[in-house]
Amino acid sequence: MSKSELNMADNPDALNSKLFELATAAMNRAYVPYSRFPVGAAIEAHSGEIYAGCNVENAAYPEGTCAEAGAIAAMVMGGDTQIKHIYVMGKGDLLVTPCGGCRQKIREFSRADTEIHICDEKGVRKTLTMEALLPFSFGPDNLV
Ligand code: THU
C-alpha cells in the first residue's frame, strides 16, 4: 500500500500513527514460544511504501529471526532499498533497541536522514539516527 493510497502524504502525524499501529500489529503476530518476547518492526521506505515484520523463533534457537530482519526482507521483496523511518516495538522497562546484527542490517539500507524510532505499546520512547545507533559503521560505500 502506498502513502498516497493511504492519503497520508501531507499528514505526517497520520503516517507516524499508521507505522506505530503496524509495528504494534506486527509485534502481536510474533512467533515467540521460547523467549516470550515479541518484537514488531515497521518501515517507511523513501518511496513512501510501508512494510512490517515480527520476530520468528525456532526450536533450533539460532535459526530464529528478528523483527527488523523480517521487515527488511519484506521491503526488499517490495522493491525498496532505502529506509526513511523504522519503528521497532517491544515490551518492558528497557528500550528495545535493535540488536547488533539488526543495526548492521538496518545500516545496509540507511541514509543520512534515516530515523530509528524505539517504541513500546504506549508510544515512541526514543528516536535515533543510524550514526548514533551504529557509529563508525561499515556499509556499502566501504566496498567501492
Ligand atoms: N529481537 C528482535 O526481534 N529484534 C531485536 O533487535 C532484538 C531481539 C528478538 C529476538 C528474539 O526472538 C527475542 O527478541 C528475544 O531476544
Side-chain angles (χ1 to χ4, degrees):
M1 197 183 306
S2 75
K3 203 151 98 172
S4 56
E5 282 172 303
L6 290 165
N7 196 26
M8 290 176 182
D10 299 318
N11 190 343
D13 286 346
L15 180 60
N16 290 345
S17 141
K18 179 74 189 170
L19 286 161
F20 182 83
E21 280 169 26
L22 265 178
T24 308
M27 179 178 71
N28 290 331
R29 285 282 175 87
Y31 176 76
V32 288
Y34 309 109
S35 75
R36 307 269 176 209
F37 190 78
V39 182
I43 290 172
E44 182 201 353
H46 271 272
S47 67
E49 294 288 329
I50 54 180
Y51 305 96
C54 62
N55 50 339
V56 180
E57 298 183 345
N58 193 283
Y61 293 174
E63 297 304 324
T65 50
C66 286
E68 298 92 322
I72 288 170
M75 177 188 75
V76 171
M77 191 61 204
D80 279 303
T81 54
Q82 293 186 323
I83 297 172
K84 189 167 184 187
H85 296 279
I86 178 165
Y87 286 64
V88 179
M89 177 173 306
K91 298 173 183 173
D93 292 338
L94 299 180
L95 291 176
V96 180
T97 43
C99 73
C102 285
R103 292 176 196 210
Q104 186 65 35
K105 287 183 177 74
I106 297 166
R107 167 66 183 91
E108 183 73 16
F109 303 105
S110 71
R111 298 190 345 180
D113 63 351
T114 297
E115 292 184 349
I116 299 104
H117 307 280
I118 313 302
C119 312
D120 65 12
E121 289 165 295
K122 292 187 208 134
V124 176
R125 299 178 67 185
K126 197 168 188 64
T127 294
L128 296 161
T129 61
M130 194 68 242
E131 182 60 26
L133 195 61
L134 191 65
F136 299 103
S137 65
F138 185 91
D141 293 348
N142 290 87
L143 294 179
V144 295

